[in-house]
């Protein structure tokens, strides 16, 4: 099997094959990933916590076990970056918040425990907004994570550090999570793959609500097959999985063996705005071009009759319920008198919680009723289409100093969620969605699509995404874009010479509930 210039540039499935054939060692792969991080991370600020000594020890132990012929897990020797809201035993977990700067957990979260049990090498923790609240990866502890194609622009969020680490070659696999788009937005902005599975597919052992489409944990990778490989591990049904009342029975290992899909047989429904959500002309133009190219690949492309225009109002009511449930036992920690003006935490939490207290039971009841209606209407689309395709984000990447765009094509963005409508609306209905890279946009940054399928069809959906990915690869306009790591390395060298980090400082946090909803 031909190898790229550097082992860190291997996709996970190729690296796995070389490791198992003993043509590549876990130590060699790890050292390549660490070197890439050393060469690029001052420029982008993706890996914010590292323990190279522990990672090297783990990689060596895996090589020794393989040499002895011992049975090893499906991720044995593969470096994995972990989002810094997922607890890692013995490795600092800050949640992107100053009060947790020195927090070292005694135990792994379930998702991390499953990754370790499969033999992965945890390479470090990836940057996230404070307590993962935000779609722009900026916090006051580590600063901002820049887009690997232009570090002055946002990488999206909240799984931004994971997306950037993957794009730059710091790790072949990474974990993330998704509330209103936190897997899909950074994947779209950074040219990588993410999968938001049917809620309950990946057990979340720290879940606080019995049944909800929110707080889905998931895989991120550079290819669909790699994301499916990681999903086959994190969807495992170990003892921790039983702590999640939403975790339903499934054969997690089946995700590693995706079905072969004839791309020329696919019936694809498309929508630029899911029935009238705010989407920029720049995104509409690129999406129209990709739809035209897609029509030459699949059996049929048809405009979908979908209307999720009121899903954002539903989302806000449900979000109020979520925030009240999640924080009513800990809101005292956000006492402004505790540490500075907002206790050192993202003020959006306090503002959203306070607004939740003014939300009536009837408001939430109406939202829940409407949610079911929107789900059924969306699900009916799959009687006609194999998948629904829409853009990943409503605007191209913007200056990371902005927490969110103030306007889109002259239309004011009325609240924090308005620019996230394309992903947040799909959270409301809860159908599985794969974020798939599809070339570059007009400003030279990655453009991504959301590929949506019927509930509980994750394996089939990933198979379709893999078939589309292969077809896109044959078209230079639609193929997955890759950042210029040589240029990032040059920028890194310049930063070191000046003794500074590109993204060391963060902009002021906005806390008014009217303009910072997430």
């Amino acid at each position: 099997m031909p190898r790229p210039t550097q082992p860190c540039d291997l996709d996970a499935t190729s690296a796995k094959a070389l490791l198992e054939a003993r043509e590549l060692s876990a130590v060699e792969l790890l050292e390549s990933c660490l070197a890439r991080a050393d060469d690029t991370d001052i420029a982008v600020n993706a890996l914010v916590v590292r323990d190279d000594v522990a990672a090297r020890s783990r990689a060596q132990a895996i090589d020794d076990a393989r040499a002895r012929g011992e049975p090893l897990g499906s991720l044995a020797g593969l470096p994995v970056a972990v989002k810094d809201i997922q607890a890692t035993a013995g490795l600092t977990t800050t949640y992107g918040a100053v009060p947790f700067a020195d927090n070292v957990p005694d135990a792994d979260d379930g998702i991390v425990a499953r990754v370790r049990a499969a033999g992965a090498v945890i390479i470090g923790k990836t940057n996230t907004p404070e307590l993962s609240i935000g779609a722009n990866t900026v916090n006051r502890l580590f600063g901002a994570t820049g887009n690997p194609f232009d570090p002055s622009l946002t990488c999206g969020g909240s799984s931004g550090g994971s997306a950037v680490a993957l794009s730059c070659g710091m790790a072949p696999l990474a974990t993330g999570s998704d509330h209103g788009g936190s897997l899909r937005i950074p994947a779209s902005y950074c040219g990588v793959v993410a999968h938001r599975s049917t809620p309950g597919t990946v057990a979340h052992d720290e879940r606080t609500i019995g049944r909800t489409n929110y707080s889905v944990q998931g895989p991120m990778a550079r290819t669909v097959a790699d994301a499916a490989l990681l999903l086959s591990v994190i969807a495992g049904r170990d003892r921790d999985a039983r702590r999640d009342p939403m975790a339903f029975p499934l054969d997690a290992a089946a995700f590693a063996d995706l079905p072969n899909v004839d791309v020329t047989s696919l019936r694809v429904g498309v929508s630029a705005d899911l029935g009238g959500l705010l989407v920029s002309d720049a995104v509409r133009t690129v999406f129209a071009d990709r739809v035209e190219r897609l029509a030459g690949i699949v059996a049929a492309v048809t405009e979908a009759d979908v209307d999720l225009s009121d899903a954002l109002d539903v989302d806000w009511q449900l979000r109020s319920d979520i925030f009240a449930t999640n924080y009513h036992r800990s809101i005292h920690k956000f006492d402004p008198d505790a540490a500075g003006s907002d206790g050192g935490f993202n003020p959006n939490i306090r503002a959203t919680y306070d607004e939740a207290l003014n939300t009536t039971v009837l408001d939430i009841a109406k939202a829940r009723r409407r949610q079911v209606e929107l789900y059924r209407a969306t699900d009916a689309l799959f009687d006609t289409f194999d998948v629904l395709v829409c853009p990943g984000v409503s605007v191209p990447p913007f200056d990371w100093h902005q927490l969110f765009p103030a306007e889109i094509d002259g239309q004011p963005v009325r609240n924090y969620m308005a620019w996230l409508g394309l992903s947040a609306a799909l959270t409301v209905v809860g159908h599985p969605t794969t974020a798939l890279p599809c070339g570059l946009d007009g400003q030279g940054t990655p453009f991504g699509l959301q590929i949506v399928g019927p509930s509980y069809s994750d394996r089939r959906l990933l198979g379709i995404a893999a078939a589309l990915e292969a077809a896109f690869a044959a078209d230079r306009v639609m193929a997955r874009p890759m950042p210029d790591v040589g240029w990032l390395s040059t920028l890194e060298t310049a930063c070191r010479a000046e003794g500074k980090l590109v993204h060391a400082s963060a902009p002021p946090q906005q806390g008014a509930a009217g303009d910072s909803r997430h």
Side-chain angles (χ1 to χ4, degrees), residues 45 103 120 141 157 188 200 208 220 241 270 333 338-339 343 364 391 430 497 501 514:
N45 193 34
N103 175 53
L141 184 59
S188 296
T208 58
M220 305 184 78
V270 298
K333 297 178 182 178
I364 295 173
L501 297 174

Side-chain angles (χ1 to χ4, degrees), residues 46-87:
L47 279 177
V48 292
V49 176
R50 285 170 54 173
D51 186 345
D52 295 4
V53 172
R56 287 179 171 123
S57 176
R58 170 77 161 168
Q60 185 61 62
I62 290 168
D63 284 338
D64 293 344
R66 182 170 273 122
R68 293 191 296 268
E70 296 178 8
L72 296 170
S74 60
L75 301 183
L78 293 175
V80 176
V82 175
K83 185 176 180 178
D84 196 26
I85 62 164
Q86 295 158 343

Side-chain angles (χ1 to χ4, degrees), residues 7-20:
C8 65
D9 295 317
L10 287 163
D11 59 73
T13 52
S14 297
K16 174 178 166 66
L18 291 171
L19 288 165
E20 291 173 347

Side-chain angles (χ1 to χ4, degrees), residues 136-161:
N136 184 359
T137 301
V138 184
N139 62 57
R140 287 169 286 185
L141 184 59
F142 298 115
T145 298
N147 192 294
F149 290 76
D150 182 347
S152 70
L153 304 178
T154 182
C155 64
S158 63
S159 306

